[in-house]
Amino acid sequence: MKNKILNILKNTDGYISGEKISEQLHISRAAVWKHIKKFKQDGYRIESVTNKGYRFVASPDVITETAIQGGLDTCFIGRNIFMYDETDTTNERAKANSDAPDGSVFIAEVQTHGKGSRGRGWTSPKGSGIWHSILLKPDIPPMEVSRITLVAGLAVCKAIGLNSAIKWPNDIVINGKKICGILTEMSSEINMINYVVCGIGINVNMESFEDELADKATSMYIESGHKYARSEIISKLLNEFEYYYRKFLDSGLRAILDEYKKHCVTLGRCVNVIFKNKTITGTAVDIDENGSLMVEAADGIISVTSGEVSVRGIYGYV
């Protein structure tokens, strides 16, 4: 009901009375007023004028379940949301609540122990980014779980735009700087997945970064010059994620691979790969249907399924 009231307010040019809202939704005016009061508490700017009614002014800068679900067009992704003002990491919250429904999303304003790939730290300041994890329960072999990282990468690019690109396998970059990291973890047995957690962190409204990150990190605000409603970005991302995730589940990675390659900045570039305890230099030439990076090196083409990959022109590698 709250999403219906919010949509009416957003789609009304000017004021609309509580009476008209109650008539449209077949609820009492008192119920309308309670929802309006809650919206204001959540940070929405809604004007209330006697004999005129209510007028929607602006969405809050805080992330709210109401705003996210109001923009969702999904069947199951994001239909259950767990919100935290502060937590260690959203991946840990998802793992601790792994009995939650498939597609549940865990969101925090602040992560105190944010982490990226290979155990590196991930800065997660309050009020400026999106730190969230999606709990998934796919019926696929455990060996295919890493491909979900590629699904997430494509979904992020489609959601944020700004000529963003994928640095295989789990970073999103703009103009050679990182704007998003993806960390996929799973709990499984020999031939069965218990659950998968796909954590996604996006730099949204940061205005600057500390010196050691300034030449490696960027944000949507820095790249575009304007601020974003983070709840709307989350909604767009969850919509895109479900779209590509369902295609992946139905037909495998090949169903989205051509589109992924178009967004992959790694392809065609010189790369350094720390692979099986040695460093290999070559050119990234393809991504196969398993999601592996194909690198043409001096000894021929090698298939890289994991490892440290540096790409010329990104993060200062020249």
Side-chain angles (χ1 to χ4, degrees), residues 80-259:
N80 291 276
I81 294 179
F82 297 77
M83 302 285 299
Y84 304 89
D85 289 332
E86 181 177 298
T87 191
D88 45 3
T89 74
T90 55
N91 269 29
E92 291 302 318
R93 292 309 95 220
K95 288 187 281 186
N97 293 276
S98 60
D99 57 345
D102 187 14
S104 294
V105 176
F106 299 77
I107 304 169
E109 276 288 354
V110 176
Q111 292 185 125
T112 57
H113 293 80
K115 58 183 179 180
S117 59
R118 303 188 175 276
R120 296 188 181 94
W122 177 270
T123 303
S124 310
K126 183 175 182 178
S128 57
I130 293 171
W131 328 120
H132 71 325
S133 301
I134 307 171
L135 177 67
L136 303 167
K137 300 179 180 180
D139 184 16
I140 60 175
M143 63 180 294
E144 295 183 8
V145 165
S146 62
R147 302 171 197 179
I148 293 174
T149 300
L150 278 64
V151 173
L154 180 55
V156 171
C157 282
K158 300 295 286 188
I160 69 175
L162 299 176
N163 294 316
S164 55
I166 303 162
K167 174 185 172 291
W168 183 95
N170 61 343
D171 288 351
I172 308 302
V173 300
I174 300 178
N175 295 324
K177 295 183 178 182
K178 185 172 180 175
I179 195 168
C180 169
I182 300 166
L183 179 62
T184 303
E185 302 178 285
M186 74 168 168
S187 168
S188 67
E189 299 173 25
I190 295 177
N191 294 311
M192 184 183 74
I193 293 171
N194 297 320
Y195 62 84
V196 175
V197 175
C198 183
I200 303 172
I202 306 174
N203 299 330
V204 181
N205 290 326
M206 288 81 161
E207 297 181 1
S208 63
F209 291 90
E210 297 178 356
D211 291 343
E212 63 268 24
L213 292 176
D215 63 341
K216 297 180 180 179
T218 189
S219 70
M220 294 178 69
Y221 171 76
I222 290 171
E223 297 299 326
S224 69
H226 66 84
K227 296 293 181 75
Y228 292 82
R230 291 174 297 147
S231 294
E232 293 181 7
I233 300 299
I234 294 175
S235 296
K236 290 179 181 179
L237 173 54
L238 297 180
N239 288 338
E240 296 288 355
F241 183 90
E242 181 173 290
Y243 173 74
Y244 289 108
Y245 179 63
R246 293 180 74 173
K247 291 185 74 171
F248 163 69
L249 292 181
D250 289 343
S251 304
L253 192 62
R254 62 181 178 274
I256 67 169
L257 194 53
D258 286 344
E259 194 167 1

Side-chain angles (χ1 to χ4, degrees), residues 1-3 5-6 9-10 33-46 56 58-70 81 83 85 109 126 229-231:
M1 184 58 65
K2 59 186 178 182
N3 291 336
I5 294 174
L6 188 59
L9 291 169
K10 285 184 174 181
W33 178 83
K34 287 181 180 179
H35 282 295
I36 297 292
K37 183 179 179 181
K38 182 63 167 60
F39 291 147
K40 291 181 177 180
Q41 291 172 347
D42 285 342
Y44 286 91
R45 289 177 56 199
I46 299 173
F56 180 86
S59 296
D61 186 41
V62 297
I63 298 172
T64 68
E65 180 179 352
T66 299
I68 294 168
Q69 293 193 332
I81 294 179
M83 302 285 299
D85 289 332
E109 276 288 354
K126 183 175 182 178
R230 291 174 297 147
S231 294

